[in-house]
Amino acid sequence: MNLPITGLYAALCGLIVVVLVLRIVGLRRKFRVGIGDGGQKPLAQAIRVHGNAVETMPIALILLAIFEANGGLYWIVHVFGAALVLGRLLHVLGLSSSIGITFGRFWGTVLTLLVIIGLAIANLLGFVASFNGAV
């Protein structure tokens, strides 16, 4: 199975996660905290930004891969993939700047959830369209 479009967006999401991990590592070194956040708010915030990314990216990428593998139109796969990356970047920027509600955090979350919901619906519709009585 060849999933080049999903591969592109998975790679971009992977790079986002690497940057987030490196931020945590840097803050752990700065505050000399080996595990947890040591009561350091910047470290707690960085951990949460990373956690949110790894909580949402995998399901979105799985749904994207299934959609692409089942013959989803390439441009629609790109739209979903680009929206996912944009949503995650917005969220990272928003939550990194403030633990409160920000433009980036709000719209990053909305965009990410729309991608997950849209791909879930697209995959369900694909199943229904191909259903021939045998499961």
Side-chain angles (χ1 to χ4, degrees):
M1 176 181 329
N2 190 11
L3 302 171
I5 302 171
T6 299
L8 167 66
Y9 295 107
L12 294 173
C13 287
L15 292 172
I16 291 169
V17 169
V18 167
V19 169
L20 297 177
V21 168
L22 292 175
R23 286 177 53 201
I24 292 170
V25 169
L27 289 169
R28 286 192 184 286
R29 292 176 55 92
K30 176 180 176 181
F31 296 121
R32 299 179 186 264
V33 175
I35 194 159
D37 61 29
Q40 298 294 329
K41 289 185 180 185
L43 180 54
Q45 189 172 0
I47 291 168
R48 192 61 239 137
V49 171
H50 170 266
N52 192 272
V54 299
E55 291 164 0
T56 56
M57 285 179 181
I59 189 63
L61 290 169
I62 290 167
L63 289 166
L64 188 68
I66 293 167
F67 183 71
E68 182 177 5
N70 286 335
L73 296 174
Y74 77 91
W75 67 269
I76 297 175
V77 179
H78 276 297
V79 167
F80 279 126
L84 173 64
V85 170
L86 177 60
R88 292 293 78 214
L89 287 173
L90 283 171
H91 190 271
V92 165
L93 295 172
L95 187 53
S96 294
S97 67
S98 169
I99 60 171
I101 297 172
T102 63
F103 174 89
R105 186 176 184 192
F106 176 82
W107 288 107
T109 300
V110 168
L111 199 51
T112 301
L113 291 176
L114 287 175
V115 167
I116 292 170
I117 293 166
L119 284 166
I121 290 169
N123 284 317
L124 286 169
L125 292 174
F127 171 76
V128 170
S130 67
F131 185 69
N132 63 8
V135 178

PDB file of all heavy atoms in Angstrom, residues 1 8 13 17 19 38 50 57 60 65 72 75 79-80 87 97 99-100 105 109-110 116 120 124 130:
ATOM      1  N   MET A   1       0.853  -1.170   0.000  1.00  0.00           N
ATOM      2  CA  MET A   1       0.000   0.000   0.000  1.00  0.00           C
ATOM      3  C   MET A   1       0.901   1.237   0.000  1.00  0.00           C
ATOM      4  O   MET A   1       1.852   1.313   0.752  1.00  0.00           O
ATOM      5  CB  MET A   1      -0.899  -0.049   1.238  1.00  0.00           C
ATOM      6  CG  MET A   1      -1.756   1.155   1.396  1.00  0.00           C
ATOM      7  SD  MET A   1      -2.819   1.172   2.869  1.00  0.00           S
ATOM      8  CE  MET A   1      -3.175  -0.525   3.165  1.00  0.00           C
ATOM      9  N   LEU A   8       3.473  12.526   3.797  1.00  0.00           N
ATOM     10  CA  LEU A   8       3.900  13.930   3.880  1.00  0.00           C
ATOM     11  C   LEU A   8       3.407  14.569   5.170  1.00  0.00           C
ATOM     12  O   LEU A   8       4.181  15.171   5.920  1.00  0.00           O
ATOM     13  CB  LEU A   8       3.365  14.709   2.673  1.00  0.00           C
ATOM     14  CG  LEU A   8       3.449  16.236   2.756  1.00  0.00           C
ATOM     15  CD1 LEU A   8       4.899  16.695   2.761  1.00  0.00           C
ATOM     16  CD2 LEU A   8       2.655  16.864   1.622  1.00  0.00           C
ATOM     17  N   CYS A  13       3.829  16.381  10.905  1.00  0.00           N
ATOM     18  CA  CYS A  13       3.376  16.247  12.298  1.00  0.00           C
ATOM     19  C   CYS A  13       4.500  15.696  13.167  1.00  0.00           C
ATOM     20  O   CYS A  13       4.679  16.132  14.311  1.00  0.00           O
ATOM     21  CB  CYS A  13       2.143  15.338  12.364  1.00  0.00           C
ATOM     22  SG  CYS A  13       0.638  16.102  11.734  1.00  0.00           S
ATOM     23  N   VAL A  17       6.185  17.376  16.570  1.00  0.00           N
ATOM     24  CA  VAL A  17       6.366  16.676  17.848  1.00  0.00           C
ATOM     25  C   VAL A  17       7.824  16.742  18.300  1.00  0.00           C
ATOM     26  O   VAL A  17       8.106  16.962  19.477  1.00  0.00           O
ATOM     27  CB  VAL A  17       5.861  15.217  17.763  1.00  0.00           C
ATOM     28  CG1 VAL A  17       6.281  14.419  18.984  1.00  0.00           C
ATOM     29  CG2 VAL A  17       4.347  15.191  17.600  1.00  0.00           C
ATOM     30  N   VAL A  19      10.016  19.101  17.686  1.00  0.00           N
ATOM     31  CA  VAL A  19      10.250  20.454  18.197  1.00  0.00           C
ATOM     32  C   VAL A  19       9.666  20.599  19.606  1.00  0.00           C
ATOM     33  O   VAL A  19      10.308  21.163  20.501  1.00  0.00           O
ATOM     34  CB  VAL A  19       9.670  21.520  17.240  1.00  0.00           C
ATOM     35  CG1 VAL A  19       9.655  22.899  17.882  1.00  0.00           C
ATOM     36  CG2 VAL A  19      10.454  21.546  15.930  1.00  0.00           C
ATOM     37  N   GLY A  38       7.992  19.778  38.139  1.00  0.00           N
ATOM     38  CA  GLY A  38       8.730  20.414  39.226  1.00  0.00           C
ATOM     39  C   GLY A  38       8.118  21.711  39.720  1.00  0.00           C
ATOM     40  O   GLY A  38       8.810  22.546  40.299  1.00  0.00           O
ATOM     41  N   HIS A  50       2.731  19.558  24.196  1.00  0.00           N
ATOM     42  CA  HIS A  50       3.168  18.293  23.599  1.00  0.00           C
ATOM     43  C   HIS A  50       2.087  17.226  23.759  1.00  0.00           C
ATOM     44  O   HIS A  50       1.749  16.511  22.813  1.00  0.00           O
ATOM     45  CB  HIS A  50       4.474  17.841  24.258  1.00  0.00           C
ATOM     46  CG  HIS A  50       4.886  16.461  23.895  1.00  0.00           C
ATOM     47  ND1 HIS A  50       4.564  15.371  24.666  1.00  0.00           N
ATOM     48  CD2 HIS A  50       5.581  15.988  22.828  1.00  0.00           C
ATOM     49  CE1 HIS A  50       5.046  14.279  24.096  1.00  0.00           C
ATOM     50  NE2 HIS A  50       5.667  14.628  22.978  1.00  0.00           N
ATOM     51  N   MET A  57      -3.008  14.023  17.066  1.00  0.00           N
ATOM     52  CA  MET A  57      -2.409  13.718  15.759  1.00  0.00           C
ATOM     53  C   MET A  57      -2.576  12.264  15.327  1.00  0.00           C
ATOM     54  O   MET A  57      -2.898  12.016  14.159  1.00  0.00           O
ATOM     55  CB  MET A  57      -0.933  14.101  15.745  1.00  0.00           C
ATOM     56  CG  MET A  57      -0.672  15.572  15.645  1.00  0.00           C
ATOM     57  SD  MET A  57       1.122  15.852  15.679  1.00  0.00           S
ATOM     58  CE  MET A  57       1.190  17.611  15.597  1.00  0.00           C
ATOM     59  N   ALA A  60      -6.063  11.431  13.856  1.00  0.00           N
ATOM     60  CA  ALA A  60      -6.266  12.159  12.606  1.00  0.00           C
ATOM     61  C   ALA A  60      -5.448  11.525  11.483  1.00  0.00           C
ATOM     62  O   ALA A  60      -5.946  11.356  10.359  1.00  0.00           O
ATOM     63  CB  ALA A  60      -5.893  13.633  12.776  1.00  0.00           C
ATOM     64  N   ALA A  65      -4.905   8.225   6.619  1.00  0.00           N
ATOM     65  CA  ALA A  65      -4.325   7.090   5.888  1.00  0.00           C
ATOM     66  C   ALA A  65      -5.411   6.164   5.352  1.00  0.00           C
ATOM     67  O   ALA A  65      -5.331   5.700   4.206  1.00  0.00           O
ATOM     68  CB  ALA A  65      -3.367   6.323   6.803  1.00  0.00           C
ATOM     69  N   GLY A  72      -9.568   7.977  -1.524  1.00  0.00           N
ATOM     70  CA  GLY A  72     -10.020   9.362  -1.398  1.00  0.00           C
ATOM     71  C   GLY A  72      -9.309  10.241  -2.425  1.00  0.00           C
ATOM     72  O   GLY A  72      -8.144  10.009  -2.740  1.00  0.00           O
ATOM     73  N   TRP A  75      -6.738  15.563  -3.778  1.00  0.00           N
ATOM     74  CA  TRP A  75      -6.811  16.949  -3.331  1.00  0.00           C
ATOM     75  C   TRP A  75      -7.570  17.063  -2.004  1.00  0.00           C
ATOM     76  O   TRP A  75      -7.274  17.923  -1.181  1.00  0.00           O
ATOM     77  CB  TRP A  75      -7.403  17.864  -4.409  1.00  0.00           C
ATOM     78  CG  TRP A  75      -8.842  17.619  -4.738  1.00  0.00           C
ATOM     79  CD1 TRP A  75      -9.344  16.782  -5.698  1.00  0.00           C
ATOM     80  CD2 TRP A  75      -9.983  18.226  -4.111  1.00  0.00           C
ATOM     81  NE1 TRP A  75     -10.716  16.827  -5.693  1.00  0.00           N
ATOM     82  CE2 TRP A  75     -11.135  17.712  -4.746  1.00  0.00           C
ATOM     83  CE3 TRP A  75     -10.130  19.155  -3.079  1.00  0.00           C
ATOM     84  CZ2 TRP A  75     -12.421  18.091  -4.376  1.00  0.00           C
ATOM     85  CZ3 TRP A  75     -11.413  19.533  -2.723  1.00  0.00           C
ATOM     86  CH2 TRP A  75     -12.541  18.995  -3.370  1.00  0.00           C
ATOM     87  N   VAL A  79      -6.237  18.561   1.483  1.00  0.00           N
ATOM     88  CA  VAL A  79      -6.990  19.556   2.259  1.00  0.00           C
ATOM     89  C   VAL A  79      -7.057  19.133   3.724  1.00  0.00           C
ATOM     90  O   VAL A  79      -6.772  19.928   4.633  1.00  0.00           O
ATOM     91  CB  VAL A  79      -8.407  19.776   1.677  1.00  0.00           C
ATOM     92  CG1 VAL A  79      -9.290  20.558   2.656  1.00  0.00           C
ATOM     93  CG2 VAL A  79      -8.323  20.496   0.333  1.00  0.00           C
ATOM     94  N   PHE A  80      -7.417  17.873   3.963  1.00  0.00           N
ATOM     95  CA  PHE A  80      -7.480  17.385   5.339  1.00  0.00           C
ATOM     96  C   PHE A  80      -6.097  17.420   5.996  1.00  0.00           C
ATOM     97  O   PHE A  80      -5.958  17.834   7.138  1.00  0.00           O
ATOM     98  CB  PHE A  80      -8.048  15.967   5.399  1.00  0.00           C
ATOM     99  CG  PHE A  80      -9.547  15.887   5.340  1.00  0.00           C
ATOM    100  CD1 PHE A  80     -10.171  15.087   4.393  1.00  0.00           C
ATOM    101  CD2 PHE A  80     -10.347  16.570   6.246  1.00  0.00           C
ATOM    102  CE1 PHE A  80     -11.554  14.985   4.340  1.00  0.00           C
ATOM    103  CE2 PHE A  80     -11.728  16.471   6.206  1.00  0.00           C
ATOM    104  CZ  PHE A  80     -12.340  15.678   5.245  1.00  0.00           C
ATOM    105  N   GLY A  87      -3.929  23.373  11.912  1.00  0.00           N
ATOM    106  CA  GLY A  87      -4.601  23.351  13.206  1.00  0.00           C
ATOM    107  C   GLY A  87      -3.645  23.078  14.350  1.00  0.00           C
ATOM    108  O   GLY A  87      -3.689  23.722  15.393  1.00  0.00           O
ATOM    109  N   SER A  97       1.702  30.520  24.017  1.00  0.00           N
ATOM    110  CA  SER A  97       1.748  31.932  24.407  1.00  0.00           C
ATOM    111  C   SER A  97       0.931  32.222  25.658  1.00  0.00           C
ATOM    112  O   SER A  97       1.204  33.184  26.364  1.00  0.00           O
ATOM    113  CB  SER A  97       1.261  32.815  23.254  1.00  0.00           C
ATOM    114  OG  SER A  97      -0.118  32.599  23.011  1.00  0.00           O
ATOM    115  N   ILE A  99      -1.927  30.165  28.737  1.00  0.00           N
ATOM    116  CA  ILE A  99      -2.735  29.012  29.128  1.00  0.00           C
ATOM    117  C   ILE A  99      -4.227  29.328  29.038  1.00  0.00           C
ATOM    118  O   ILE A  99      -5.063  28.451  29.211  1.00  0.00           O
ATOM    119  CB  ILE A  99      -2.371  28.503  30.540  1.00  0.00           C
ATOM    120  CG1 ILE A  99      -2.586  29.580  31.583  1.00  0.00           C
ATOM    121  CG2 ILE A  99      -0.974  27.945  30.563  1.00  0.00           C
ATOM    122  CD1 ILE A  99      -2.462  29.081  33.016  1.00  0.00           C
ATOM    123  N   GLY A 100      -4.546  30.576  28.746  1.00  0.00           N
ATOM    124  CA  GLY A 100      -5.943  30.979  28.577  1.00  0.00           C
ATOM    125  C   GLY A 100      -6.403  30.747  27.149  1.00  0.00           C
ATOM    126  O   GLY A 100      -5.724  30.127  26.339  1.00  0.00           O
ATOM    127  N   ARG A 105      -5.113  28.819  19.974  1.00  0.00           N
ATOM    128  CA  ARG A 105      -5.572  27.638  20.721  1.00  0.00           C
ATOM    129  C   ARG A 105      -6.994  27.283  20.321  1.00  0.00           C
ATOM    130  O   ARG A 105      -7.313  26.116  20.060  1.00  0.00           O
ATOM    131  CB  ARG A 105      -5.484  27.915  22.217  1.00  0.00           C
ATOM    132  CG  ARG A 105      -5.800  26.704  23.053  1.00  0.00           C
ATOM    133  CD  ARG A 105      -5.605  26.995  24.532  1.00  0.00           C
ATOM    134  NE  ARG A 105      -5.822  25.784  25.313  1.00  0.00           N
ATOM    135  CZ  ARG A 105      -5.937  25.768  26.616  1.00  0.00           C
ATOM    136  NH1 ARG A 105      -5.840  26.889  27.308  1.00  0.00           N
ATOM    137  NH2 ARG A 105      -6.150  24.636  27.249  1.00  0.00           N
ATOM    138  N   THR A 109      -7.765  24.053  17.852  1.00  0.00           N
ATOM    139  CA  THR A 109      -8.604  22.962  18.342  1.00  0.00           C
ATOM    140  C   THR A 109      -9.781  22.724  17.406  1.00  0.00           C
ATOM    141  O   THR A 109     -10.079  21.578  17.047  1.00  0.00           O
ATOM    142  CB  THR A 109      -9.114  23.270  19.771  1.00  0.00           C
ATOM    143  OG1 THR A 109      -7.982  23.425  20.628  1.00  0.00           O
ATOM    144  CG2 THR A 109     -10.019  22.174  20.286  1.00  0.00           C
ATOM    145  N   VAL A 110     -10.449  23.794  17.012  1.00  0.00           N
ATOM    146  CA  VAL A 110     -11.598  23.670  16.114  1.00  0.00           C
ATOM    147  C   VAL A 110     -11.179  23.001  14.806  1.00  0.00           C
ATOM    148  O   VAL A 110     -11.830  22.054  14.336  1.00  0.00           O
ATOM    149  CB  VAL A 110     -12.246  25.047  15.842  1.00  0.00           C
ATOM    150  CG1 VAL A 110     -13.243  24.978  14.688  1.00  0.00           C
ATOM    151  CG2 VAL A 110     -12.925  25.570  17.101  1.00  0.00           C
ATOM    152  N   ILE A 116     -10.786  15.643  12.174  1.00  0.00           N
ATOM    153  CA  ILE A 116     -11.104  14.309  12.693  1.00  0.00           C
ATOM    154  C   ILE A 116     -12.559  13.940  12.383  1.00  0.00           C
ATOM    155  O   ILE A 116     -12.845  12.842  11.897  1.00  0.00           O
ATOM    156  CB  ILE A 116     -10.809  14.226  14.201  1.00  0.00           C
ATOM    157  CG1 ILE A 116      -9.288  14.320  14.436  1.00  0.00           C
ATOM    158  CG2 ILE A 116     -11.374  12.935  14.805  1.00  0.00           C
ATOM    159  CD1 ILE A 116      -8.880  14.490  15.892  1.00  0.00           C
ATOM    160  N   ALA A 120     -13.710  11.070   9.769  1.00  0.00           N
ATOM    161  CA  ALA A 120     -14.542   9.981  10.301  1.00  0.00           C
ATOM    162  C   ALA A 120     -15.800   9.827   9.450  1.00  0.00           C
ATOM    163  O   ALA A 120     -16.168   8.709   9.063  1.00  0.00           O
ATOM    164  CB  ALA A 120     -14.900  10.254  11.757  1.00  0.00           C
ATOM    165  N   LEU A 124     -16.821   6.691   7.086  1.00  0.00           N
ATOM    166  CA  LEU A 124     -18.109   6.015   7.269  1.00  0.00           C
ATOM    167  C   LEU A 124     -18.908   5.987   5.971  1.00  0.00           C
ATOM    168  O   LEU A 124     -19.492   4.952   5.607  1.00  0.00           O
ATOM    169  CB  LEU A 124     -18.924   6.702   8.375  1.00  0.00           C
ATOM    170  CG  LEU A 124     -18.447   6.461   9.801  1.00  0.00           C
ATOM    171  CD1 LEU A 124     -19.153   7.402  10.772  1.00  0.00           C
ATOM    172  CD2 LEU A 124     -18.660   5.008  10.204  1.00  0.00           C
ATOM    173  N   SER A 130     -19.521   1.191  -0.117  1.00  0.00           N
ATOM    174  CA  SER A 130     -18.945  -0.066  -0.584  1.00  0.00           C
ATOM    175  C   SER A 130     -19.612  -1.290   0.025  1.00  0.00           C
ATOM    176  O   SER A 130     -19.307  -2.424  -0.343  1.00  0.00           O
ATOM    177  CB  SER A 130     -17.448  -0.122  -0.271  1.00  0.00           C
ATOM    178  OG  SER A 130     -17.246  -0.187   1.134  1.00  0.00           O
TER     179      SER A 130
END
